[in-house]
Amino acid sequence: MGLHRPQRALGTVLMVGLTRTTIADRPTAAYTGLVLLTAAAAWAWTALRWGAMGSGTMAGDLPAFLGTWTIMMVAMMLPATAPVASLYARTALVHRTPRVIAFTAGYVLVWAAAGLPAYALAIGARHVATMHPTAGTAVAAAIFAVAGVYQLTALKDLCLTKCRSPIALLLHQASYRGPARHVRVGLHHGAFCLGCCWSLMLLLTAFGVMNLWAMMGLAVIVTAEKRLPRGRLLARAVGLTSLALAIAVFWMPLLAPNLTGGVMTEMGLRHL
């Protein structure tokens, strides 16, 4: 049975691009730049918002939280995803810009939805932080442990592999039909990215949901895991470090300022 027309077109693009090197190694600069510019704007907004609040945590009710969370995820996640969006643009000869925009929108939608459990965790952190400090320390240790263990699992490695090598995934998704097919591709890729990185985002509950320095550090880790040749090794190193923090936090509670009564918690929780 023959391939569908979109699959044939994508297969042709891939075969041409793979003659000397992979397509992922030669992204279209214009589309990569478009995604990176979006991320840069989100970083600028987040930095200005953080400075205005004078806080390391996020403020507001659920709608405000979700809006700010989504912008944060745009800032943190799009730099690592820009090459994939550019690769997806190369699967078409025309209308590449709308394709990239729709793909990115679908991807961001996944992370926006992740803001719902993140909000519940933020509210829970507020209550924990107002309890006895020991309770906050215990929760922080549990968060570090969960994140550390997941970083070492086969599921993490599978999702990271899909993020690092998306060509086979895009080949499969070439059969998608309908006006929302590009959004579907973004949703599909975003789901694997969420499976890869949710444990890293969980750490924001300990550090502070809008702790700008924690955001920057985690964004660097996310990008390095996905783009560097030894990204898988880095993921395991981060897992082991997180497990070490699960132990160390009992002696140094300020490793988790959002849960142990640190300055950032005191300033930020008043807004929730």
Side-chain angles (χ1 to χ4, degrees), residues 66-85:
L66 289 178
T68 307
W69 168 269
T70 301
I71 294 173
M72 286 172 52
M73 294 302 104
V74 168
M76 296 176 68
M77 306 307 299
L78 286 193
T81 306
V84 181

Side-chain angles (χ1 to χ4, degrees), residues 91-128:
T91 65
L93 298 178
V94 294
H95 306 305
R96 287 180 168 181
T97 299
R99 175 179 289 238
V100 169
I101 293 173
F103 172 90
T104 304
Y107 178 86
V108 171
L109 185 60
V110 172
W111 282 102
L116 292 172
Y119 180 75
L121 285 171
I123 294 298
R126 179 188 67 178
H127 293 295
V128 167

Side-chain angles (χ1 to χ4, degrees), residues 24-78:
D25 291 332
R26 299 188 292 109
T28 303
Y31 303 108
T32 301
L34 176 64
V35 179
L36 291 178
L37 182 62
T38 304
W43 274 115
W45 185 94
T46 303
L48 292 173
R49 175 72 171 171
W50 183 77
M53 288 175 59
S55 168
T57 55
M58 188 183 296
D61 55 13
L62 179 57
F65 185 100
L66 289 178
T68 307
W69 168 269
T70 301
I71 294 173
M72 286 172 52
M73 294 302 104
V74 168
M76 296 176 68
M77 306 307 299
L78 286 193

Side-chain angles (χ1 to χ4, degrees), residues 143-160 191-200 202 235 239 242-243:
I143 287 173
F144 286 133
V146 169
V149 169
Y150 184 77
Q151 286 287 116
L152 304 175
T153 63
L155 181 58
K156 161 73 180 192
D157 190 62
L158 171 64
C159 293
L160 181 57
F192 278 110
C193 186
L194 180 61
C196 174
C197 300
W198 71 264
S199 57
L200 297 174
L202 179 64
S242 188
L243 290 174

